């Protein structure tokens, strides 16, 4: 809602806004107009509208792209706040979603530090939030680094709430801190796809057995249907990894490209949208770990590349659809890559000192979160009021 002020266009002064009593709307004491509506005033108004229009034309595209980039995450965040506000006070709902945001930003920062492209956080009411890695980690140590970033920053956010409560004495901050500590401790459970399950992959995969054992107790204590589904999925993934037959997982990646059409090509060469053609390609991995397939379409002297989010054995790269050439002699076409994903046998080969580092960080963080929850519980300030 716009906050109307006397210096904004369209504002009508009133007695409550400071106009002397008896002054007609828009006038001055005595009934005379305080500012004649002459050509100079209209000129200023026209200049302001023109300047505003020029700004939108010059910056509007950037503002629109910014809105498209962050609009969905912000909308999902607002919807989640509204959903929690149906159950809790809106201040607590806002603070709780803010703590989830801090947790997810820990993952984003850790991923950026490791050179992994990542999406903005997306919120799901009553389920939490998630980020999407646009490229898979190259090894278990990288996966653990991204995973532990969330609970680390999330614990810091909850600690800030606790310290504010210590300084102000407001029970609200203690309750918010308690929920924040619980949120991050829950995510440290050694169950994939929770953060804890990804962290201990760099410590010892035998710790996943602990996740399988304590899962039923967590379900019994929390009565969480969501965690029950996560735990069952986790058991299935463990069975497939250690006991099941390793079936190749198909990978499909597509991209749309544009190229100049050679005028010497016969008309029939590009005819039909179902035009299909295998293309020669070269697969390689960049220094930053990004897997790429570079392909060539020789008749059009075109070279392009497809980025792949995970290591895979490429079977083929080919054109699957071709559009009609436009008036500028350019044609759009769709290229499809087909392959089979694989995980390196060295994925979980982590140096011993790195295993110890993540083990100490994991255990120490879990102990800290548990102690903070116990302390707040002892002073009976765990419920928002």
């Amino acid at each position: 809602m716009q906050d109307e002020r006397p210096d904004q266009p369209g504002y009508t002064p009133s007695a409550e806004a400071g106009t002397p009593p008896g002054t007609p709307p828009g006038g001055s004491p005595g009934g005379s107009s305080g500012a004649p509506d002459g050509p100079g005033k209209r000129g200023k108004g026209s200049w302001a509208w023109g300047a505003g229009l020029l700004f939108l034309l010059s910056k509007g595209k950037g503002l629109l792209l910014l809105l498209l980039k962050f609009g969905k995450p912000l909308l999902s965040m607002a919807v989640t706040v509204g959903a929690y506000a149906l159950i809790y006070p809106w201040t607590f709902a806002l603070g709780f979603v803010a703590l989830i945001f801090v947790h997810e930003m820990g993952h984003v920062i850790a991923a950026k530090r490791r050179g992994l492209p990542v999406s903005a956080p997306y919120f799901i009411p009553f389920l939490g939030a998630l980020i999407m890695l646009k490229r898979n980690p190259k090894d278990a140590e990288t996966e653990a680094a991204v995973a532990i970033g969330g609970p680390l920053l999330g614990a810091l956010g909850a600690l800030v709430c606790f310290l504010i409560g210590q300084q102000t004495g407001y029970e609200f901050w203690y309750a918010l801190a308690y929920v924040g500590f619980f949120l991050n401790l829950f995510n440290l459970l050694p169950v994939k796809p929770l953060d804890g399950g990804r962290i201990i992959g760099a410590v010892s995969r035998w710790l996943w057995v602990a996740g399988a054992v304590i899962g039923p107790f967590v379900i019994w204590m929390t009565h969480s249907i969501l965690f029950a589904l996560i735990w069952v999925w986790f058991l299935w993934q463990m069975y497939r990894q250690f006991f099941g037959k390793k079936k190749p997982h198909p990978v499909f990646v597509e991209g749309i490209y544009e190229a100049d059409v050679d005028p010497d090509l016969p008309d029939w060469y590009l005819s039909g949208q179902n035009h299909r053609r295998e293309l020669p390609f070269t697969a390689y991995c960049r220094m930053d770990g990004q897997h790429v397939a570079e392909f060539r379409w020789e008749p059009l002297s075109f070279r392009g590349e497809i980025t792949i989010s995970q290591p895979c054995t490429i079977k083929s790269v080919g054109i699957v659809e071709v559009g009609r050439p436009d008036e500028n002699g350019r044609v759009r076409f769709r290229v499809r890559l087909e392959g089979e994903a694989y995980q390196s046998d060295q994925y979980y080969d982590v140096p011993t000192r790195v295993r110890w580092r993540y083990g100490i960080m994991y255990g120490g963080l879990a102990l800290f979160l548990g102690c903070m929850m116990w302390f707040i519980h002892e002073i009976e300030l765990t419920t928002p009021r």
Side-chain angles (χ1 to χ4, degrees):
M1 179 176 178
Q2 185 179 1
D3 180 18
E4 292 188 336
R5 298 172 188 248
D7 58 348
Q8 290 183 344
Y11 174 80
T12 303
S14 62
E16 291 78 10
T19 304
T23 303
S28 60
S32 62
S33 174
D37 191 11
K41 188 174 182 179
R42 287 195 297 267
K44 289 183 179 180
S46 300
W47 180 88
W49 280 105
L53 181 61
L54 180 63
F55 175 80
L56 289 176
L57 291 176
S58 60
K59 304 295 184 181
K61 184 177 180 180
L63 293 174
L64 180 60
L65 292 176
L66 190 66
L67 181 61
L68 291 175
K69 183 177 181 180
F70 296 103
K72 290 183 179 179
L74 290 175
L75 179 60
S76 67
M77 189 175 185
V79 170
T80 304
V81 171
Y84 284 118
L86 297 175
I87 302 175
Y88 305 106
W90 71 268
T91 51
F92 184 82
L94 183 61
F96 179 54
V97 174
L99 286 175
I100 297 176
F101 175 76
V102 171
H103 176 100
E104 294 301 323
M105 288 306 298
H107 293 308
V108 172
I109 294 172
K112 294 289 187 181
R113 287 175 59 88
R114 292 302 180 113
L116 294 174
V118 64
S119 70
Y122 287 88
F123 293 81
I124 306 173
F126 306 114
L127 296 180
L130 56 87
I131 61 169
M132 302 296 292
L133 289 176
K134 300 178 182 179
R135 187 170 75 240
N136 286 359
K138 63 179 181 179
D139 51 37
E141 193 270 332
T142 304
E143 183 178 2
V146 176
I148 204 169
L152 277 176
L153 194 61
L156 181 61
L159 180 61
V160 169
C161 294
F162 175 81
L163 294 177
I164 294 175
Q166 289 280 83
Q167 292 296 319
T168 63
Y170 290 148
E171 298 178 0
F172 164 81
W173 292 105
Y174 287 107
L176 196 60
Y178 183 85
V179 173
F181 291 133
F182 173 78
L183 169 71
N184 290 280
L185 182 61
F186 182 84
N187 271 276
L188 286 179
L189 289 173
V191 174
K192 271 195 170 185
L194 298 180
D195 298 331
R198 299 183 183 278
I199 297 168
I200 64 172
V203 180
S204 174
R205 283 179 287 175
W206 284 105
L207 293 175
W208 284 341
V209 177
V213 173
I214 67 176
F217 296 98
V218 176
I219 296 172
W220 176 72
M221 292 179 62
T222 63
H223 305 286
S224 173
I225 298 177
L226 175 62
F227 181 76
L229 295 176
I230 292 175
W231 181 70
V232 171
W233 182 87
F234 168 67
L235 293 180
W236 171 245
Q237 293 298 317
M238 284 186 59
Y239 170 79
R240 288 184 56 188
Q241 182 167 352
F242 294 108
F243 304 106
K245 293 183 179 179
K246 295 185 178 180
K247 298 180 180 179
H249 179 67
V251 174
F252 303 100
V253 184
E254 289 189 351
I256 298 178
Y257 305 85
E258 287 189 1
D260 294 318
V261 178
D262 188 344
D264 296 331
L265 284 177
D267 295 337
W268 54 264
Y269 186 82
L270 297 174
S271 62
Q273 292 186 348
N274 295 325
H275 181 102
R276 294 179 178 270
R277 182 179 298 271
E278 294 288 328
L279 299 176
F281 66 91
T282 302
Y284 61 93
C285 181
R286 294 175 181 164
M287 293 295 294
D288 61 358
Q290 176 69 65
H291 294 266
V292 177
E294 186 179 276
F295 61 88
R296 303 173 295 281
W297 194 2
E298 298 296 351
L300 271 64
S301 301
F302 180 83
R303 291 176 178 266
E305 62 179 31
I306 296 180
T307 57
I308 313 165
S309 63
Q310 57 185 322
C312 70
T313 302
I314 302 175
K315 289 186 174 181
S316 65
V317 176
I319 299 171
V320 294
E321 184 179 354
V322 180
R324 295 179 178 273
D326 58 20
E327 61 275 7
N328 297 321
R330 294 184 63 82
V331 64
R332 298 185 66 179
F333 56 96
R334 187 189 303 272
V335 176
R336 181 185 180 96
L337 178 149
E338 298 183 3
E340 293 180 351
Y342 73 90
Q343 188 177 80
S344 172
D345 294 334
Q346 288 79 39
Y347 186 85
Y348 289 101
D349 289 349
V350 180
T352 302
R353 63 179 183 83
V354 177
R355 293 182 183 274
W356 275 101
R357 184 172 77 239
Y358 279 101
I360 293 172
M361 290 174 62
Y362 175 80
L365 183 58
L367 181 62
F368 168 76
L369 294 171
C371 289
M372 293 304 297
M373 286 183 62
W374 174 83
F375 179 80
I376 299 176
H377 185 269
E378 286 298 303
I379 59 179
E380 298 181 351
L381 295 174
T382 60
T383 304
R385 299 177 184 178

